[in-house]
Structure formats: C-alpha cells, structure tokens
Amino acid sequence: MFFTYLRRELRRRRKAALVVASGLALGIALVIVVNSVSAGMNRAQGRVLESLYGLGTDMTVTKAAAPPEEGATVKRPRFRFDAKGDDDARQSQDIVMVQGFETLAASTVGRVAGQDGVADAVGGLNVRVMKVDGQFKPGEFKQEPGEVRRGGPAAGEVRGGGADFDVDSYSVYGTDVAHQGLGPLTSSKITSGRTFAAGETSAAVAVVDSAYAKEKKLEVGGSLTVSGTKFTIVGIATADSGDAAADVYLPLARAQTLADAKDKITTVYVKATDSQRIAGVKDTIQKNVSGTTVTTSADLAQTVSGSLSTASDLAAGVGKWLSIVVLVAAFLVAGLLTSSAVSRRVREFGTLKALGWKSRRVTGQVAGEALVNGLIGGALGIGIGLAGAWAITALSPTLTAQLGAGGGGAGGGGGRMLVGGPGGPGGGPMSDGASRALDIALTAPVSLTTIGLAVALAVAGGLIAGGFGGWRASRLRPADALRRVE
C-alpha cells in the first residue's frame, strides 16, 4: 500500500518532484566538482613537490648555515692553469662543490632512522660541478714597415691572441645505490639503459637526465668526465613532470670523493611509518637531532605560487563556501516546496486520517516521497558532477607552479620526509628545482569518498524536506479536510 501510494503520488506530481530533485542535483553536482577539483589541486601540488625531492617525500630537515664571522673571507671558486710548453694546449679544470646545504655526518642517517615513527632513511649528497675548458692563444707581433728605432725595440703592435674558454655548470646528486626507493631519482623514469645496480656503490657509473644528455649529446655507453674521473653512462632518466632534480646522478661514495666530502651527506630522505604521524615525527627529529629545522610538505606547499596556488585557493575557499551556500539553499527550497505541497493536500490527508490513517503513517508517506525526490536529485547530481569532472580532466587546463625562495628546504608528497643539512640559496638540485616554474595539467579525479558524500547529501536533503512536510502533515486533523469541501 505504501509503495503503491508513493508511486502514484510521485507520478501525479512529476513537475513538483522534478523541481525539488533539480535543486538538490545542482547543489550535489557542485559539491562533487569542487571536491574533485580540490583533489586535482592536491595531486598537482604533489607532482610539483615530487619533481624536486622524489616520489612521496614528506618533509625536510635542514640546518641553517651559520652567518660568516665579521671580517671573515668568503671562499669562492678559483681556477688555476699551469703554463705549458705548447702555447695552443687546451686547458680544462673542474671544481666540484657541495651545494645547497652544509654537510652532515653520514651517521645522521642512522640517527634519523632510529627515531620513533620512521620506517626508512636514506642519505644523499648535492654537488655542483663548474667546468672551465678552453685555450690561450698567443698574439703575433706585427712590425710597421719603415719604422725602425735606433738602439730600441722595433715599432709595431701585437695582434690576435687571447683566451677562449667555455664555462659549464651542472648539478650532480650522489645517491645511495643500495637504497633507491627514496630520493630525487625516484621522480624520474629510466627511458634508456638501466639504473644503478645495488653493488655499484663505488663504481664509476652515471645516470644522466635526458634533457642534459640531449644538450651535451650524451648516450648510454658513452662517458662523462668529472674532475679527471671518467664515468660510464649506464642510463638516461626522464623526469615525470617538470625539470629533473639533478643533471647527473652518481653513486654516493663517488660523489663524496669528487667533492672531498668523505662520509658526508647533505640530505636524508625519510619514510614515515604512517602519513598521519608526520607532525609527531617532525617534533621527534627536531628534539633528538639537534640543530635541525624540520619542514613538512604542508609547509613547502605554502611556498608554491603561480596559477596553481591561485586556483587552489579559489577551490578551497570560494568553491567550498559556494557549495555550502548552494546546498543550504537547495535543502531549504526542497523543504519549503514539500511543506507547500502538503498545504495543497490538506483535504487528501484529512480524508486519509478520517479513514483511519494515523499521523505517523501520514508523516511516513510524506517523508518517503521527499526521500525518493532526494535520491533522484542525488542520482542527477552525481551524473552532472561526474560530467563536470570529466570535462575538466578532458580539457586539462595548464597551471603554472613555482616554489618560492623558501622551498629549498622541504619536501612534498605523502608518506615520506626528507632530512637535509644546512644550505644557502642557489645551489644543488633542490634549490635549482625551487627556482624553476613547472607547468602542470589539472585533472579532477572523483573518488568513492566523494560519491559517498553525494549519496549522503541526497539522503540528507530528502530527510530534511520530508521533515518539513511530515511535521506539517502530522498537524492536520480530519476536520481540516471538511473545511475544504465545497
């Protein structure tokens, strides 16, 4: 009886039911689109952070470099070339410097790994290589004809000669080849050759970023000479998004030798046992690893600027508040329309009560109709919301993201963190990446959680509307129906 009456009434009041369902559908669709866009923003932001520090990095621990003492001389790179017998001999020299952070003892990795909440820890070394290559050419003395001085040098001038040198600067990251699950190299895919083998801890092998390899015409099987050491290129890596974290990747021990930083590291990448414990792990490291500053991925995300940041603020602020306002309005309209429909059905409900229907049954009938309207609105809203999210993903609008100056000391992503030594601006793969803008294609993924939220809102909208109408219907008396009889 209940369902028969329900079906008949919904069919008889199709227009009113469609109005209520449409209002709820628009509110629910907006919630789905806003949530999916917010998820896309978070994913895009994660890609920005991963492109700098590796897949899933969660935080960095850095140590601010001590300011130079007053009157102290700042050590700067200096090139020295020896005179050779052959005037046209080619001169070449490399300066390998630890860059980005002051060094930490390699034992710091073990200390960090031993902290509560840390699942794994891996050390790395950021290095910059400055290479000067060229030659000196002596000039030629040209004597002017007819100009000869008595008792003195011949008149004339020196023509030609000079120096022609190329300066090349590139970043190198020393990676722990025995633990390659963490670190910047995880943000790139090997597109040619192979990655490091676990036993190549001290081998003269290198993996080169594809962009740098193309610029310098390097390929797998070729060689790269750094400070007199020839490294065989075993792989070419391509960054998943944006720029690579480094131009060249070397085994950690080799990078330490080149930079004269034996048993030193600049960075410790850490994986937490649970992403929910990041804040606690941060406090633990700051407390037990003295002199360090811990920056989480959330802190780093705040330094992301550009259209990605603007769009994220709009989605998180204006979008969510707009969703709330539209939902509240849709719920109120649905409730008022249902209540108004009950007012037009006074004679019907009064007659039903005169026939023996109890108030509870009349209320249940009205609430049932409103709930079905809510579910219909929910289905329509889910369909519209999915279509909107699909359209955003299909269009894939490009957003620009750039890390601010403070981005050099943090990591991004989920479930991992990064511990680094102190550093200054403009050095190493981290600060290089932080200074470059990245173009990220926006997507709008819809999760099961979002769908569940939409269903819950549809049910809530139906119940609210049913509550309005049911309360009104429960107050009707059989005598009210007689007053409407003409």
Side-chain angles (χ1 to χ4, degrees):
M1 178 66 177
F2 173 81
F3 292 103
T4 301
Y5 194 84
L6 178 66
R7 184 172 60 253
R8 181 178 66 82
E9 291 302 316
L10 289 173
R11 187 165 53 241
R12 190 160 64 93
R13 295 179 174 80
R14 288 192 295 269
K15 291 183 178 179
L18 183 60
V19 170
V20 174
S22 299
L24 291 173
L26 290 177
I28 292 170
L30 185 58
V31 170
I32 292 177
V33 171
V34 169
N35 274 273
S36 61
V37 169
S38 295
M41 298 294 177
N42 292 332
R43 179 179 293 183
Q45 207 166 58
R47 289 177 62 190
V48 173
L49 305 182
E50 288 173 4
S51 70
L52 292 175
Y53 305 115
L55 183 63
T57 303
D58 239 351
M59 69 177 72
T60 64
V61 180
T62 59
K63 183 177 181 181
E69 297 180 1
E70 187 175 353
T73 302
V74 179
K75 186 178 180 181
R76 300 183 182 278
R78 187 173 184 180
F79 295 91
R80 295 177 182 272
F81 296 108
D82 296 329
K84 297 183 179 180
D86 186 354
D87 291 335
D88 292 334
R90 197 164 189 86
Q91 307 275 358
S92 181
Q93 184 178 352
D94 291 347
I95 291 183
V96 184
M97 304 170 292
V98 173
Q99 192 77 5
F101 301 107
E102 243 178 57
T103 56
L104 299 168
S107 58
T108 306
V109 178
R111 291 179 59 195
V112 173
Q115 304 303 312
D116 184 39
V118 174
D120 194 12
V122 178
L125 183 69
N126 301 317
V127 172
R128 178 157 291 279
V129 179
M130 294 185 65
K131 183 181 185 67
V132 175
D133 184 76
Q135 64 186 97
F136 296 102
K137 292 184 178 180
E140 295 182 2
F141 180 77
K142 296 290 185 179
Q143 181 178 355
E144 296 295 336
E147 293 191 21
V148 180
R149 297 178 181 177
R150 293 182 178 180
E157 62 179 349
V158 177
R159 297 178 182 178
D164 182 16
F165 282 84
D166 291 327
V167 179
D168 184 24
S169 176
Y170 58 93
S171 58
V172 174
Y173 175 71
T175 183
D176 188 343
V177 299
H179 302 86
Q180 297 184 54
L182 294 173
L185 188 54
T186 61
S187 64
S188 298
K189 293 181 179 179
I190 301 298
T191 52
S192 179
R194 62 175 177 83
T195 188
F196 299 107
E200 293 177 328
T201 55
S202 300
V205 293
V207 172
V208 181
D209 174 62
S210 58
Y212 186 75
K214 182 178 180 180
E215 177 187 352
K216 300 301 180 181
K217 298 180 180 180
L218 303 174
E219 58 184 15
V220 175
S223 62
L224 174 69
T225 301
V226 183
S227 193
T229 302
K230 182 177 289 188
F231 291 86
T232 301
I233 300 173
V234 297
I236 303 294
T238 302
D240 290 336
S241 63
D243 296 315
D247 297 318
V248 179
Y249 302 89
L250 300 177
L252 177 57
R254 281 287 183 172
Q256 290 170 332
T257 300
L258 290 173
D260 193 22
K262 185 178 180 181
D263 296 328
K264 299 290 184 179
I265 56 173
T266 55
T267 311
V268 182
Y269 297 82
V270 184
K271 181 178 180 180
T273 55
D274 187 346
S275 60
Q276 301 300 318
R277 301 185 61 184
I278 296 299
V281 174
K282 171 182 176 178
D283 293 338
T284 300
I285 294 176
Q286 284 182 321
K287 178 181 178 181
N288 297 333
V289 184
S290 60
T292 58
T293 300
V294 183
T295 307
T296 66
S297 58
D299 299 328
L300 179 61
Q302 294 177 359
T303 69
V304 177
S305 59
S307 59
L308 174 60
S309 177
T310 302
S312 181
D313 292 340
L314 287 174
V318 178
K320 289 185 178 180
W321 278 111
L322 181 61
S323 300
I324 293 173
V325 171
V326 171
L327 273 176
V328 171
F331 287 172
L332 288 176
V333 169
L336 292 175
L337 288 177
T338 304
S339 179
S340 177
V342 171
S343 298
R344 294 193 297 270
R345 298 166 68 184
V346 170
R347 184 166 56 184
E348 174 190 343
F349 290 135
T351 302
L352 290 174
K353 281 194 172 185
L355 293 175
W357 279 41
K358 296 183 180 298
S359 296
R360 184 174 62 241
R361 186 173 181 183
V362 174
T363 301
Q365 192 70 44
V366 175
E369 294 174 13
L371 182 59
V372 171
N373 288 337
L375 292 176
I376 294 174
L380 290 174
I382 291 173
I384 296 172
L386 290 176
W390 175 84
I392 292 173
T393 302
L395 292 174
S396 297
T398 300
L399 301 176
T400 300
Q402 185 171 6
L403 282 178
R416 295 176 192 173
M417 67 197 72
L418 179 149
V419 181
M430 295 194 174
S431 53
D432 283 351
S435 64
R436 292 191 292 249
L438 304 177
D439 291 332
I440 304 293
L442 176 65
T443 59
V446 181
S447 64
L448 292 177
T449 302
T450 302
I451 298 297
L453 176 62
V455 173
L457 290 174
V459 173
L463 291 177
I464 290 174
F468 271 91
W471 173 79
R472 185 69 181 273
S474 66
R475 295 172 61 85
L476 295 175
R477 295 174 297 172
D480 295 328
L482 299 176
R483 296 193 188 100
R484 300 296 180 94
V485 177
E486 297 179 354

